[in-house]
């Protein structure tokens, strides 16, 4: 199989600033959620993606509304980038009626078909055959929409992952498998669950390309995604993009992550995707101190408004617990 060619791209200063905005908004959203959990105000399981934001931003930036994402527990940012308003997303975390699932689920199992977001279940890897099914629908309908399906390196050891990749390869489906390799599956380090270094290599067994990239470099993720999305739209089949990254918090907010060292965390924090991109934008004269202050102020007021809205929103009525459910 010839290696995939490097994709050329050019982003305008406005687009680069938009990427910067998304990185910071998603970080701020997760950071506020973490505080709300500690304050006892949000009681659902919260799985932050702090440190991993470049993956969601780089993969979603080139998507259209009619494309689908299949997010996992750590991909709250993809909901926002696909068009869910921050106040609706915050309501979801508070399990209020104004959230996506109207208070019937407290975390990230909800979706929105109109915005192209498929609600995931708790079974890891189980979103991948479903994502392949959505991609099969697009192929059968002869439309050029694509699916972006997220999973952790832990989930890549589950049978569903292999079935989905095999089916996608055989059918040449318009799907991009995005592995968020954050080095741990709960407390299990990657070397205790896989005998190979790169999840990306698994794609080759199923007849398509897999690439391992720096998942903390938003432009690298965007570049790899743009190429994969373009090939998928043209009917050239799937791609697996493995994004090497690290989650700064524990598996969820109740996990103190004693299984890793302070030095390891500090090393990865030095690779924080946000300052790296900030420095890049400053060196290209796209960002100055005033613009950065404006972005920060906009984000702070968006998050404050979302929390205020969610906290004041009505609680669900117990009678509504089974409406909208299939029996
Ligand atoms: C099939 C299955 N096995 C086990 C679990 C329990 N579990 C929930 S999250 C998690 C770790 C997931 O690790 P990974 O797939 O790498 O994603 P990450 O949380 O690191 O983003 C486990 C084992 C589950 N939800 N589903």
């Amino acid at each position: 199989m010839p290696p995939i060619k490097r994709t050329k791209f050019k982003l305008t200063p406005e687009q680069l600033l938009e990427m910067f905005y998304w990185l910071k908004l998603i970080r701020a959203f997760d950071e506020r959620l973490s505080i709300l959990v500690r304050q006892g105000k949000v009681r659902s399981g919260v799985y932050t993606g702090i440190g991993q934001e470049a993956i969601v931003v780089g993969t979603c930036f080139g998507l259209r509304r009619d494309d689908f994402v299949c997010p996992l527990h750590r991909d709250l940012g993809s909901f926002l980038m696909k068009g869910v308003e921050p106040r609706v997303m915050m309501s979801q975390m508070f399990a209020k009626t104004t959230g996506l699932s109207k208070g019937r689920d407290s975390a990230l199992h909800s979706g929105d078909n109109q915005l192209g977001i498929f609600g995931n279940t708790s079974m890891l890897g189980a979103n991948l055959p479903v994502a392949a099914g959505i991609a099969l629908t697009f192929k059968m309908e002869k439309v050029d929409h694509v699916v972006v399906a997220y999973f952790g390196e832990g989930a890549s050891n589950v049978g569903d992952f292999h079935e989905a990749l095999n089916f996608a390869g055989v059918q040449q489906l318009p799907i991009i498998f995005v592995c968020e390799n954050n080095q741990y599956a709960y407390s299990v380090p990657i070397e205790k669950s896989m005998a190979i270094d790169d999840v990306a290599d698994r794609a080759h067994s199923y007849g398509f390309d897999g690439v391992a990239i720096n998942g903390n470099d938003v432009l690298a993720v965007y570049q790899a995604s743009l190429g994969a999305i373009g090939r998928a739209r043209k009917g050239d089949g799937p791609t697996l993009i493995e994004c090497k990254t690290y989650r700064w918090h524990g598996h969820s907010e109740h996990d103190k992550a004693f299984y890793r060292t302070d030095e390891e965390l500090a090393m990865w924090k030095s690779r924080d995707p946000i300052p790296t991109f900030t420095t890049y934008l400053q060196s290209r004269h796209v960002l100055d101190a005033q613009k950065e202050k404006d972005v920060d102020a906009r984000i702070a007021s968006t998050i404050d408004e979302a929390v205020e809205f969610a906290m004041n929103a009505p609680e669900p009525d117990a009678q509504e617990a089974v409406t909208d459910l299939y029996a």
Side-chain angles (χ1 to χ4, degrees), residues 5 10 12 19 23 34 39 75 115 137 140 144 147 157 167 231 240 249 267-268 283 296 310-311 313 318 323 325:
K5 283 204 210 106
K10 195 166 169 49
T12 63
M19 269 187 172
L23 282 174
S34 175
Q39 290 174 333
D75 304 317
L115 295 175
T137 308
M140 290 170 76
D144 70 347
V147 180
N157 300 317
F167 187 71
R231 287 190 296 281
L240 191 165
H249 286 203
M267 188 276 284
W268 277 97
S283 70
D296 287 343
M311 286 185 72
T323 54
L325 292 183

Side-chain angles (χ1 to χ4, degrees), residues 73-74 122-124 152-155 158 182 184-186 247 251:
H73 44 286
R74 234 171 275 294
S122 283
M123 295 306 294
L124 290 177
E153 81 292 344
V158 171
N182 59 17
Y184 288 90
Y186 212 125
R247 64 165 156 74
H251 172 72

Side-chain angles (χ1 to χ4, degrees), residues 66-260:
D66 42 21
D67 296 324
F68 253 77
V69 292
C70 297
L72 275 179
H73 44 286
R74 234 171 275 294
D75 304 317
L76 182 150
S78 68
F79 286 75
L80 298 173
M81 289 193 73
K82 279 296 267 151
V84 177
E85 282 181 56
R87 50 159 60 184
V88 173
M89 205 61 225
M90 197 58 87
S91 301
Q92 177 68 16
M93 306 315 290
F94 275 87
K96 294 294 187 79
T97 50
T98 44
L100 289 170
S101 47
K102 303 180 187 141
R104 282 187 290 263
D105 166 54
S106 55
L108 296 168
H109 298 302
S110 57
D112 185 326
N113 282 347
Q114 303 304 317
L115 295 175
I117 306 167
F118 179 77
N120 183 37
T121 66
S122 283
M123 295 306 294
L124 290 177
N127 67 327
L128 300 175
V130 180
I134 301 171
L136 178 65
T137 308
F138 291 159
K139 183 183 167 188
M140 290 170 76
E141 289 178 345
K142 298 189 171 38
V143 291
D144 70 347
H145 311 163
V146 303
V147 180
V148 171
Y150 299 94
F151 61 97
E153 81 292 344
S156 78
N157 300 317
V158 171
D160 278 343
F161 163 87
H162 295 273
E163 291 182 30
L165 264 71
N166 185 50
F167 187 71
V170 170
Q171 297 284 337
Q172 287 289 286
L173 298 179
I175 183 165
I176 299 95
F177 294 102
V178 177
C179 177
E180 297 168 300
N181 181 352
N182 59 17
Q183 316 301 320
Y184 288 90
Y186 212 125
S187 57
V188 181
I190 187 159
E191 62 274 13
K192 292 234 164 84
S193 65
M194 281 172 43
I196 55 172
D197 290 331
D198 296 326
V199 174
D201 288 347
R202 294 183 165 170
H204 305 142
S205 317
Y206 301 111
F208 56 93
D209 256 310
V211 284
I213 60 166
N214 175 1
N216 283 10
D217 177 345
V218 69
L219 294 179
V221 179
Y222 175 69
Q223 182 179 40
S225 305
L226 198 66
I229 292 168
R231 287 190 296 281
R233 286 206 203 288
K234 277 197 304 182
D236 289 345
T239 307
L240 191 165
I241 303 172
E242 178 189 3
C243 302
K244 310 273 191 191
T245 188
Y246 197 79
R247 64 165 156 74
W248 290 10
H249 286 203
H251 172 72
S252 67
E253 291 304 289
H254 60 256
D255 169 24
K256 303 263 184 293
F258 292 133
Y259 43 84
R260 65 187 187 186

Side-chain angles (χ1 to χ4, degrees), residues 17-92:
L17 283 177
E18 203 188 327
M19 269 187 172
F20 182 66
Y21 167 78
W22 283 118
L23 282 174
K24 293 199 97 176
L25 177 78
I26 296 165
R27 167 77 53 94
F29 201 109
D30 266 347
E31 280 178 340
R32 182 65 70 88
L33 267 180
S34 175
I35 293 169
L36 289 164
V37 170
R38 276 178 274 144
Q39 290 174 333
K41 291 179 180 156
V42 163
R43 292 189 296 273
S44 73
V46 165
Y47 309 85
T48 73
I50 297 174
Q52 305 187 185
E53 298 86 349
I55 303 172
V56 158
V57 176
T59 49
C60 286
F61 202 77
L63 292 182
R64 304 190 307 220
R65 188 185 167 101
D66 42 21
D67 296 324
F68 253 77
V69 292
C70 297
L72 275 179
H73 44 286
R74 234 171 275 294
D75 304 317
L76 182 150
S78 68
F79 286 75
L80 298 173
M81 289 193 73
K82 279 296 267 151
V84 177
E85 282 181 56
R87 50 159 60 184
V88 173
M89 205 61 225
M90 197 58 87
S91 301
Q92 177 68 16

